[in-house]
Amino acid sequence: MHNGKARAFTNIALIKYWGKKDQQLILPMNSSLSLTLDAFYTETSVSFSKDYTQDLFYLDGELQDEKATQKVSRFLQLAREQAGIFEHALVYSQNFVPTAAGLASSASGLAALAGACNDALGLNLSTTELSRLARKGSGSACRSIYGGFVEWKKGHSDQSSYALPMASNHWEDDLAMIFILINDKAKKVSSRNGMQQTVETSLYYDDWLKAADADIKKAQEAIENHDFHALGQVTETNCLKMHATTLAASPPFTYWTPDSLKAMNKVYAMRDAGQDCYFTMDAGPNVKVLCQKKDSQKIYEELQKEFPEQQLVMAYAGKGVESLETEVAK
Ligand code: FM0
């Protein structure tokens, strides 16, 4: 029996990862930059044993179906090959999400699984190697290996594509991100399918790549200079450019709902009224508001005028993946 357990926090990209050049290895078309947050995380324990006849995956106490287990199994296989230990595994994963957010995160999930496998199989990976392994589970997971500001350098191969923490002198501790959770009953396009469809068909995809390169540089500079306005501006405009690519895809699609627009407009109105805040959105309808910690309470209260408290979650900078004690075998 080989046991391991780890906790990983989710991260939100300020400059988005949007498109793969290699689907199997998960090599991205562009570099991305994120902030790891403290509000959402996953704890995962894994045990490998000769006695198991198949991989089993429990999420929040429920045994998952074949489709959900497949993604985990595919990842376990990579870890098994790396370790040379070919035993099936039992995976218990718990998502810690405030209120009924319904915010499943592949970033924290796959980063925690990578950390748990590293411990269980005695892989002894460096953080760079762990980032590369997590990347092969889900691209954004490679950034959750580290806390604070993180850059995923796109690289050009399995070896050269991984995330690194950014020197910021702890500036991330001065920032906050407020999640506005938006209900969505529409059919969901996963980030995996959405980005692929965009790479293959969007008229604007080449322009997105050019913009992403320039935006990464602006964000790096803003972080270096602790320039909140510059970071907020590039975060918001990069998000808009990513979302513009989906409207020029064939068939076109969007992640925005009327409430997403309501939230974005609220951010614009708050900025017009002198408040320092900027939004970003990922492959779903939720809107995340980037602000400085010193203003976060005031901005939260202002958002509460439009959105009930159950829809709002305050987050601050979070830590990288960490190993947890495994309980004595059951
Ligand atoms: O996080 O197909 O990592 O940079 O969230 O598993 O590699 O779920 F806004 C979209 C995340 C994409 C931007 O994609 O995809 C970002 C996104 P996978 P992910």
Side-chain angles (χ1 to χ4, degrees), residues 17 19-29 74 135-136 139 152 154 156-158 161 192 195-196 199:
Y17 146 51
K20 296 179 183 66
K21 63 178 170 229
D22 187 314
Q23 313 263 6
Q24 282 305 310
L25 292 170
I26 309 199
L27 301 177
M29 294 287 274
R74 191 185 152 270
R135 188 200 77 226
K136 286 176 263 192
W152 174 12
K154 64 180 174 185
H156 50 79
S157 61
D158 181 25
S161 185
R192 193 159 286 189
M195 70 172 80
Q196 191 51 26
V199 172

Side-chain angles (χ1 to χ4, degrees), residues 170-310:
H170 302 291
W171 184 46
E172 65 272 15
D173 294 338
D174 294 348
L175 304 185
M177 197 175 266
I178 305 170
F179 286 66
I180 307 174
L181 305 171
I182 286 165
N183 292 324
D184 180 24
K185 290 178 191 71
K187 187 169 169 281
K188 294 188 175 53
V189 182
S190 69
S191 47
R192 193 159 286 189
N193 294 339
M195 70 172 80
Q196 191 51 26
Q197 191 174 321
T198 305
V199 172
E200 285 167 9
T201 69
S202 179
L203 218 53
Y204 298 165
Y205 194 72
D206 286 345
D207 287 333
W208 155 255
L209 289 179
K210 276 184 219 140
D213 262 358
D215 288 349
I216 279 270
K217 292 192 185 88
K218 284 186 204 159
Q220 285 167 335
E221 235 174 75
I223 291 168
E224 226 165 87
N225 299 331
H226 296 194
D227 182 341
F228 180 71
H229 292 280
L231 185 65
Q233 283 288 354
V234 72
T235 294
E236 192 173 284
T237 53
N238 180 265
C239 149
L240 290 170
K241 283 176 268 191
M242 173 198 130
H243 285 271
T245 64
T246 72
L247 291 177
S250 176
F253 64 102
T254 184
Y255 292 106
W256 297 4
T257 68
D259 276 349
S260 312
L261 278 165
K262 181 177 144 187
M264 290 187 261
N265 281 324
K266 178 68 181 167
V267 170
Y268 287 143
M270 285 162 68
R271 252 203 337 263
D272 283 346
Q275 266 154 343
D276 281 340
C277 54
Y278 299 86
F279 63 76
T280 188
M281 285 179 69
D282 292 289
N286 297 322
V287 174
K288 295 113 191 178
V289 181
L290 180 68
C291 61
Q292 296 172 89
K293 202 181 221 172
K294 66 179 173 61
D295 302 328
S296 61
Q297 211 49 47
K298 208 172 65 196
I299 289 172
Y300 184 95
E301 280 160 26
E302 187 60 39
L303 288 171
Q304 257 188 307
K305 293 181 186 163
E306 303 273 346
F307 298 95
E309 202 176 353
Q310 310 86 274

